[in-house]
Amino acid sequence: MKKAILSGVAILAIGAGIWAAYDYLTDIGRKTTAPQFTSLAGSYDDGMLVRPGGQPVRVGFPPDYTYLGGQTFVLYGRMDVEQHIFVVPNTDGGVQSAGIVQIETVRPDVDWQYDYSNAPFTAQIGDFDFFADVYVGKRHPIYRNGRPGSDWNLALKFIKSNGFVIPSEYVFAHLVHLPTQDRREEILVSFFDDLAPTGYTFDDLKAGGAQADKEPDVTQAHLTKFKDMFWIEHAPD
């Protein structure tokens, strides 16, 4: 019996190793470059982030959001990305709220366009139309900072490198504006709040959870908060 158990454990270990190797070799995140923190196209001054591009814009968050800085990288070997990150800390040194402004452009040698025709809904902020999604989430038990090589992973690592603790559960809004006719550039804004202050947990609000009927209220309140406080406008060329 003991030998059978040990053999079973060994088989599981070998299987896990094979899966891990396959996962690593096929993971497109390996093509993401290490972030750089200098020579950013966007600039931040007096509460306003100005970013040139196919459609130059100015964006801003309320004064209680601290601007941490920005970074650039090539995502999956396909897109040039520049992120700018804002946070509101809580009293324990964690993140109460965070906003990530990301300008993403398909590289010239890549034949591809952004397509958000399947987005759950749209949102209007100022003169800008956004494809939008909002949901309640929790950190992955293995990939605590998101899938390695993803833009989410690099954003969370940037926040952590500035000394902040990422909440385990959160309510998250993801909005995308396509500024150019060729749909090869996007202005992406991600906004997440710690879920704990709502009084609910992820398990409460997930499908089948004890408070699942409250999930639409929580997510809609989050999106309304974001739309009321975030601003975006056209900037001079």
Side-chain angles (χ1 to χ4, degrees):
M1 183 67 176
K2 184 176 180 180
K3 288 184 178 180
I5 293 174
L6 291 175
S7 296
V9 170
I11 290 171
L12 288 174
I14 292 171
I18 292 173
W19 178 87
Y22 174 81
D23 186 54
Y24 173 77
L25 292 172
T26 60
D27 185 7
I28 196 171
R30 293 195 303 123
K31 297 182 179 180
T32 297
T33 63
Q36 304 294 318
F37 309 102
T38 59
S39 302
L40 300 174
S43 60
Y44 180 79
D45 184 50
D46 195 25
M48 181 168 59
L49 174 66
V50 180
R51 177 59 171 86
Q55 186 182 77
V57 296
R58 288 190 287 237
V59 302
F61 286 87
D64 53 334
Y65 281 79
T66 299
Y67 176 65
L68 297 185
Q71 60 184 356
T72 63
F73 50 90
V74 178
L75 181 64
Y76 305 142
R78 297 170 59 87
M79 286 82 75
D80 292 316
V81 173
E82 181 166 313
Q83 289 180 336
H84 294 267
I85 299 174
F86 302 76
V87 300
V88 177
N90 62 26
T91 55
D92 298 323
V95 173
Q96 174 182 320
S97 184
I100 304 162
V101 179
Q102 180 167 313
I103 309 296
E104 188 171 307
T105 306
V106 180
R107 309 201 88 193
D109 59 336
V110 177
D111 183 17
W112 193 74
Q113 295 176 312
Y114 294 103
D115 181 6
Y116 290 96
S117 57
N118 292 325
F121 54 91
T122 59
Q124 183 82 21
I125 302 179
D127 296 331
F128 293 77
D129 295 316
F130 286 86
F131 297 98
D133 191 12
V134 58
Y135 56 88
V136 174
K138 66 185 299 184
R139 297 174 72 186
H140 193 281
I142 297 175
Y143 301 119
R144 296 291 291 163
N145 295 319
R147 185 84 181 182
S150 67
D151 48 352
W152 177 241
N153 169 258
L154 292 179
L156 293 189
K157 287 170 66 176
F158 186 92
I159 293 171
K160 287 188 65 178
S161 72
N162 280 268
F164 295 99
V165 178
I166 309 298
S168 295
E169 301 182 341
Y170 49 84
V171 53
F172 182 90
H174 181 269
L175 295 95
V176 179
H177 173 70
L178 301 180
T180 58
Q181 290 291 330
D182 62 8
R183 292 184 290 132
R184 290 175 61 84
E185 180 176 314
E186 67 177 13
I187 300 170
L188 185 156
V189 186
S190 300
F191 173 64
F192 69 92
D193 280 346
D194 186 358
L195 183 62
T198 69
Y200 300 108
T201 67
F202 174 82
D203 287 339
D204 289 336
L205 299 175
K206 70 180 182 180
Q211 303 289 331
D213 61 319
K214 301 297 184 183
E215 190 270 348
D217 296 335
V218 171
T219 54
Q220 185 57 48
H222 181 68
L223 183 61
T224 299
K225 172 188 173 182
F226 173 73
K227 291 171 66 177
D228 287 346
M229 72 176 198
F230 175 77
W231 59 266
I232 179 169
E233 65 183 22
H234 297 283
D237 292 338

